[in-house]
Amino acid sequence: MSHQVPITCKDTTWLVSDARERELTSEEKAALTAHIEHCELCQGASKQFEVLFRQLGMFLGKSGSP
Ligand SMILES: [Zn+2]
């Protein structure tokens, strides 16, 4: 359904560090969140990403209210 290119865990790491230096495109942000939502490894690491995501205005918990 989504037409974005899947990214790997390594890509995720690169995007996260890139995001400190430049603004990610909406496609990159979408790919990043889509990957993390489906990747247990990155979900574990995503605690470290939270600060970044807050900066990006895309905090992961947005859809997580019980
Ligand atoms: Zn991953």
Side-chain angles (χ1 to χ4, degrees):
M1 190 149 176
S2 78
H3 195 245
Q4 67 208 15
V5 181
I7 62 173
T8 65
C9 295
K10 192 173 181 181
D11 293 332
T12 300
T13 307
W14 278 113
L15 284 176
V16 168
S17 54
D18 264 17
R20 292 180 181 131
E21 297 172 5
R22 66 178 177 89
E23 183 160 0
L24 299 182
T25 67
S26 55
E27 285 181 354
E28 286 170 332
K29 290 177 185 175
L32 194 57
T33 45
H35 176 88
I36 291 173
E37 281 174 2
H38 295 99
C39 176
E40 289 183 11
L41 285 176
C42 286
Q43 281 170 22
S46 68
K47 294 209 186 313
Q48 299 171 25
F49 300 161
E50 276 185 19
V51 172
L52 175 72
F53 284 134
R54 282 200 196 97
Q55 290 170 5
L56 294 175
M58 53 183 280
F59 181 55
L60 283 179
K62 65 188 174 189
S63 62
S65 27

